[in-house]
Coordinates of all heavy atoms in Angstrom, one line a residue:
G99 N 27.0 -314.2 -140.4 CA 25.9 -313.3 -140.0 C 26.1 -312.7 -138.7 O 25.6 -311.6 -138.4
F100 N 26.8 -313.4 -137.8 CA 27.1 -312.8 -136.4 C 28.3 -311.9 -136.4 O 28.5 -311.2 -135.4 CB 27.2 -314.0 -135.4 CG 26.0 -314.6 -135.0 CD1 25.7 -315.9 -135.3 CD2 25.0 -313.9 -134.2 CE1 24.5 -316.5 -134.9 CE2 23.8 -314.4 -133.8 CZ 23.6 -315.8 -134.1
F101 N 29.1 -311.9 -137.4 CA 30.3 -311.0 -137.4 C 29.9 -309.6 -137.3 O 28.9 -309.1 -137.9 CB 31.1 -311.2 -138.7 CG 31.9 -312.5 -138.8 CD1 32.6 -312.8 -140.0 CD2 31.9 -313.4 -137.7 CE1 33.3 -314.0 -140.1 CE2 32.7 -314.6 -137.9 CZ 33.3 -314.9 -139.1
S102 N 30.8 -308.8 -136.7 CA 30.7 -307.3 -136.8 C 31.1 -306.9 -138.1 O 31.7 -307.6 -138.9 CB 31.6 -306.7 -135.7 OG 33.0 -306.9 -136.1
V103 N 30.8 -305.6 -138.4 CA 31.1 -305.0 -139.8 C 32.6 -305.2 -140.1 O 32.9 -305.7 -141.2 CB 30.7 -303.5 -139.8 CG1 31.3 -302.9 -141.1 CG2 29.2 -303.4 -139.8
N104 N 33.5 -304.9 -139.2 CA 34.9 -304.9 -139.5 C 35.4 -306.4 -139.6 O 36.3 -306.6 -140.4 CB 35.7 -304.2 -138.5 CG 35.8 -302.7 -138.8 OD1 35.7 -302.3 -140.0 ND2 35.8 -301.8 -137.8
T105 N 34.8 -307.3 -138.9 CA 35.2 -308.7 -139.1 C 34.7 -309.2 -140.4 O 35.4 -310.0 -141.1 CB 34.6 -309.6 -137.9 OG1 35.1 -309.0 -136.7 CG2 35.1 -311.0 -138.0
K106 N 33.5 -308.8 -140.8 CA 33.1 -309.2 -142.2 C 34.0 -308.7 -143.3 O 34.4 -309.4 -144.2 CB 31.6 -308.6 -142.4 CG 30.5 -309.4 -141.7 CD 29.2 -308.7 -142.0 CE 28.1 -309.5 -141.3 NZ 26.8 -308.8 -141.3
L107 N 34.4 -307.4 -143.1 CA 35.3 -306.8 -144.1 C 36.7 -307.5 -144.1 O 37.3 -307.8 -145.1 CB 35.5 -305.3 -143.8 CG 34.3 -304.4 -144.1 CD1 34.5 -303.0 -143.6 CD2 34.0 -304.4 -145.6
A108 N 37.1 -307.8 -142.8 CA 38.4 -308.5 -142.7 C 38.4 -309.9 -143.3 O 39.3 -310.4 -144.0 CB 38.8 -308.6 -141.2
F109 N 37.3 -310.6 -143.2 CA 37.1 -311.9 -143.8 C 37.3 -311.9 -145.3 O 38.0 -312.6 -145.9 CB 35.7 -312.5 -143.4 CG 35.2 -313.7 -144.1 CD1 35.6 -314.9 -143.7 CD2 34.4 -313.5 -145.3 CE1 35.2 -316.1 -144.4 CE2 34.0 -314.7 -146.0 CZ 34.4 -315.9 -145.6
W110 N 36.6 -310.9 -145.9 CA 36.7 -310.8 -147.4 C 38.0 -310.3 -147.8 O 38.5 -310.6 -148.9 CB 35.6 -309.9 -147.9 CG 34.2 -310.6 -148.0 CD1 33.2 -310.4 -147.2 CD2 33.9 -311.7 -148.9 NE1 32.1 -311.2 -147.5 CE2 32.5 -312.0 -148.6 CE3 34.5 -312.3 -149.9 CZ2 31.9 -313.0 -149.3 CZ3 33.9 -313.3 -150.6 CH2 32.5 -313.7 -150.3
Y111 N 38.6 -309.4 -147.0 CA 39.9 -308.9 -147.3 C 40.9 -310.1 -147.4 O 41.6 -310.2 -148.4 CB 40.4 -307.9 -146.2 CG 41.8 -307.5 -146.4 CD1 42.2 -306.5 -147.3 CD2 42.8 -308.0 -145.5 CE1 43.5 -306.1 -147.4 CE2 44.1 -307.6 -145.6 CZ 44.5 -306.7 -146.6 OH 45.8 -306.3 -146.7
E112 N 40.9 -310.9 -146.4 CA 41.8 -312.1 -146.4 C 41.4 -313.1 -147.6 O 42.3 -313.6 -148.2 CB 41.6 -312.9 -145.1 CG 42.0 -312.1 -143.8 CD 43.5 -312.1 -143.6 OE1 44.2 -313.0 -144.0 OE2 44.0 -311.1 -143.0
L113 N 40.1 -313.3 -147.8 CA 39.7 -314.1 -148.9 C 40.2 -313.5 -150.2 O 40.7 -314.3 -151.1 CB 38.2 -314.3 -148.9 CG 37.6 -315.6 -149.4 CD1 38.3 -316.8 -148.7 CD2 36.1 -315.6 -149.1
G114 N 40.1 -312.2 -150.4 CA 40.7 -311.5 -151.6 C 42.2 -311.8 -151.7 O 42.6 -312.0 -152.9
E115 N 42.9 -311.7 -150.6 CA 44.3 -312.0 -150.7 C 44.6 -313.4 -151.2 O 45.5 -313.7 -152.0 CB 45.0 -311.8 -149.3 CG 45.0 -310.4 -148.8 CD 45.7 -309.4 -149.7 OE1 47.0 -309.6 -149.9 OE2 45.1 -308.5 -150.2
L116 N 43.8 -314.4 -150.7 CA 43.9 -315.8 -151.1 C 43.6 -315.9 -152.6 O 44.2 -316.8 -153.3 CB 43.0 -316.7 -150.3 CG 43.4 -316.8 -148.8 CD1 42.3 -317.6 -148.0 CD2 44.8 -317.5 -148.6
M117 N 42.6 -315.1 -153.1 CA 42.2 -315.2 -154.5 C 43.4 -314.7 -155.3 O 43.7 -315.2 -156.4 CB 41.0 -314.3 -154.7 CG 39.7 -314.9 -154.2 SD 38.4 -313.8 -154.3 CE 37.1 -314.7 -153.4
K118 N 44.0 -313.6 -154.9 CA 45.1 -313.0 -155.7 C 46.3 -314.0 -155.8 O 47.0 -314.1 -156.8 CB 45.6 -311.7 -155.0 CG 44.7 -310.5 -155.2 CD 45.4 -309.3 -154.7 CE 44.4 -308.3 -154.2 NZ 44.9 -307.4 -153.1
K119 N 46.5 -314.8 -154.7 CA 47.5 -315.8 -154.7 C 47.1 -317.1 -155.5 O 47.9 -318.0 -155.5 CB 47.9 -316.2 -153.3 CG 48.6 -315.2 -152.5 CD 49.0 -315.7 -151.1 CE 49.4 -314.6 -150.2 NZ 48.8 -314.8 -148.8
G120 N 45.8 -317.1 -155.9 CA 45.4 -318.3 -156.6 C 44.9 -319.5 -155.8 O 44.8 -320.6 -156.2
L121 N 44.8 -319.2 -154.4 CA 44.4 -320.3 -153.5 C 42.9 -320.5 -153.4 O 42.4 -321.5 -152.9 CB 45.1 -320.1 -152.1 CG 46.6 -320.1 -152.1 CD1 47.1 -319.7 -150.7 CD2 47.1 -321.5 -152.5
V122 N 42.2 -319.5 -153.8 CA 40.7 -319.5 -153.8 C 40.3 -319.0 -155.1 O 40.8 -318.0 -155.6 CB 40.2 -318.7 -152.6 CG1 38.6 -318.5 -152.7 CG2 40.5 -319.3 -151.2
T123 N 39.2 -319.6 -155.7 CA 38.7 -319.1 -157.0 C 37.8 -317.9 -156.8 O 36.8 -318.0 -156.1 CB 37.9 -320.2 -157.7 OG1 38.1 -321.5 -157.0 CG2 38.1 -320.3 -159.2
P124 N 38.1 -316.8 -157.5 CA 37.3 -315.7 -157.4 C 35.9 -315.8 -158.0 O 34.9 -315.3 -157.5 CB 38.1 -314.5 -158.0 CG 39.1 -315.2 -158.8 CD 39.3 -316.6 -158.4
I125 N 35.9 -316.4 -159.2 CA 34.7 -316.4 -160.0 C 34.4 -317.8 -160.3 O 35.2 -318.6 -160.7 CB 34.9 -315.5 -161.3 CG1 35.0 -314.0 -160.8 CG2 33.8 -315.7 -162.3 CD1 35.4 -313.1 -162.0
P126 N 33.1 -318.2 -160.2 CA 32.7 -319.6 -160.5 C 33.2 -320.1 -161.8 O 33.1 -319.3 -162.8 CB 31.2 -319.6 -160.4 CG 30.8 -318.4 -159.6 CD 31.9 -317.4 -159.8
A127 N 33.6 -321.4 -161.9 CA 34.1 -322.0 -163.2 C 33.0 -321.9 -164.2 O 31.8 -322.1 -163.9 CB 34.5 -323.4 -162.9
G128 N 33.4 -321.5 -165.4 CA 32.4 -321.4 -166.6 C 31.5 -320.2 -166.5 O 30.6 -320.1 -167.3
Y129 N 31.8 -319.2 -165.6 CA 31.0 -318.1 -165.5 C 31.0 -317.2 -166.7 O 32.0 -316.9 -167.3 CB 31.5 -317.2 -164.3 CG 30.8 -315.9 -164.2 CD1 29.5 -315.8 -163.7 CD2 31.5 -314.7 -164.6 CE1 28.9 -314.5 -163.7 CE2 30.9 -313.5 -164.6 CZ 29.6 -313.4 -164.1 OH 29.0 -312.2 -164.1
Q130 N 29.8 -316.8 -167.1 CA 29.6 -315.8 -168.3 C 29.0 -314.6 -167.7 O 27.9 -314.6 -167.1 CB 28.6 -316.4 -169.3 CG 29.1 -317.8 -169.9 CD 29.9 -317.5 -171.1 OE1 29.5 -316.8 -172.0 NE2 31.1 -318.1 -171.2
M131 N 29.6 -313.5 -168.0 CA 29.1 -312.2 -167.4 C 27.8 -311.8 -168.1 O 27.8 -311.8 -169.3 CB 30.2 -311.1 -167.6 CG 29.9 -309.9 -166.7 SD 30.6 -308.4 -167.3 CE 32.3 -308.6 -166.7
S132 N 26.9 -311.4 -167.3 CA 25.6 -310.9 -167.9 C 25.7 -309.4 -168.1 O 26.5 -308.7 -167.4 CB 24.4 -311.3 -167.0 OG 24.3 -310.4 -165.9

Side-chain angles (χ1 to χ4, degrees):
F100 280 115
F101 286 175
S102 69
V103 169
N104 277 327
T105 305
K106 286 177 178 169
L107 291 170
F109 168 84
W110 282 109
Y111 171 77
E112 297 279 333
L113 212 51
E115 294 299 300
L116 295 172
M117 289 173 186
K118 285 187 212 153
K119 288 184 196 138
L121 296 173
V122 170
T123 345
I125 291 171
Y129 169 77
Q130 299 271 308
M131 197 203 282
S132 79

